[in-house]
Amino acid sequence: LAKWAEDIFAGKKHVYWYGTYCNACDEKLLAGKTRQYPDHYAEKRQATYRKHIQQGKIATDCIGLIKGYYWEQDGVVKYKRNGLPDKGANGMYKATTIKGSIDTLPEIPGLLVWTKTFGHVGVYVGNGYIVEARGFSYGVKREKLTDRAFKFWGLCPYIEYTAEEIEKAKAAAGETASGETGTPTIRKGSEGDAVREMQNLLIKAGCTLPKYGADGDFGGATETAVRLFQSAVGSEQNGVASVG
């Protein structure tokens, strides 16, 4: 997957069309997508789409870059090839069983990375870089992970990783080698129910989260509250909380 994404970026043939998955740009595709997603294919964009057709470009959106990989065989991308599903960026995150917050990302090229709302996804290609079909105004970009607002990582559930990569990802996600849940941690940048539960426990313990309360977002105020609690109980003041 990482090589697929790198090759797409290097080839400079792919452009961003919402709702596509590495399809050849042509009038039939444009007409169909315009009917399906009129807001994304507004009149002011039509001239650019037709220019893409004339240039022989290939269309993809963020998740289409990934689906195109696992639906491709012998240079042909076929919808739902081998029964592999059609998932949006959000659906892909929900289907992913091994995942974590971006600050725990293991060095495994071919991981997926998501933004805060899970509505946008990219491919981690290694050495701190990602490739993403970023949007209509950007196309396919290769950028430093730290320059973009990705918040979560995960193994794509529809491609194969090595056993070593899987164990490495499980360890980063806070699982034991056997696959059973160990003692995962949450820290600044983490989000979700585990954070909200921890925030409620802090409030019950007398800690204050003055601005946001138990909002499920591990921000600066929550980190400060964790450190104060750790100081009060005599533990290491690292701002990191264990879950479970």
Side-chain angles (χ1 to χ4, degrees):
L1 176 58
K3 185 179 186 305
W4 166 268
E6 291 272 35
D7 287 349
I8 283 177
F9 170 74
K12 306 299 181 185
K13 288 201 67 175
H14 287 65
V15 290
Y16 187 96
W17 288 25
Y18 185 81
T20 61
Y21 48 90
C22 302
N23 310 109
C25 295
D26 59 29
E27 288 289 347
K28 182 178 179 181
L29 180 67
L30 178 58
K33 293 303 173 184
T34 300
R35 288 192 300 270
Q36 189 176 7
Y37 304 110
D39 291 343
H40 290 275
Y41 290 82
E43 182 60 36
K44 64 182 179 181
R45 293 184 173 182
Q46 291 290 316
T48 299
Y49 290 133
R50 288 195 163 82
K51 183 178 180 180
H52 293 160
I53 293 170
Q54 294 169 0
Q55 293 172 334
K57 297 291 188 179
I58 300 171
T60 191
D61 64 7
C62 67
I63 192 66
L65 187 78
I66 296 144
K67 291 185 292 192
Y69 170 71
Y70 64 69
W71 286 341
E72 185 272 339
Q73 184 175 313
D74 298 327
V76 178
V77 176
K78 181 179 178 181
Y79 184 68
K80 289 190 175 181
R81 186 186 295 277
N82 298 324
L84 294 173
D86 181 3
K87 296 282 187 181
N90 281 276
M92 187 73 78
Y93 182 80
K94 291 177 181 178
T96 300
T97 58
I98 304 174
K99 52 194 172 185
S101 59
I102 206 69
D103 57 309
T104 66
L105 181 142
E107 183 56 29
I108 303 174
L111 293 177
L112 306 186
V113 291
W114 286 267
T115 52
K116 182 177 181 179
T117 62
F118 313 111
H120 182 68
V121 64
V123 179
Y124 181 69
V125 295
N127 298 315
Y129 281 85
I130 57 99
V131 170
E132 58 177 324
R134 184 169 172 179
F136 174 78
S137 299
Y138 299 94
V140 177
K141 304 289 286 185
R142 185 181 191 273
E143 300 162 294
K144 287 184 177 179
L145 177 63
T146 53
D147 288 343
R148 299 285 289 125
F150 289 100
K151 296 293 186 181
F152 304 96
W153 64 267
L155 295 185
C156 178
Y158 308 116
I159 69 172
E160 293 184 1
Y161 296 87
T162 67
E164 181 181 359
E165 288 170 337
I166 292 170
E167 292 307 321
K168 188 175 183 180
K170 285 181 176 180
E175 296 184 16
T176 63
S178 66
E180 297 176 354
T181 302
T183 308
T185 58
I186 52 177
R187 64 192 73 201
K188 189 173 182 180
S190 299
E191 297 178 313
D193 291 339
V195 175
R196 187 174 292 105
E197 181 180 354
M198 181 269 296
Q199 289 171 325
N200 281 320
L201 290 173
L202 286 172
I203 292 170
K204 289 179 181 179
C207 299
T208 56
L209 299 171
K211 190 173 182 180
Y212 301 110
D215 61 355
D217 189 349
F218 200 133
T222 298
E223 183 181 43
T224 298
V226 170
R227 291 182 187 276
L228 289 172
F229 179 80
Q230 290 171 331
S231 176
V233 299
S235 63
E236 181 184 1
Q237 298 172 47
N238 59 9
V240 177
S242 297
V243 181

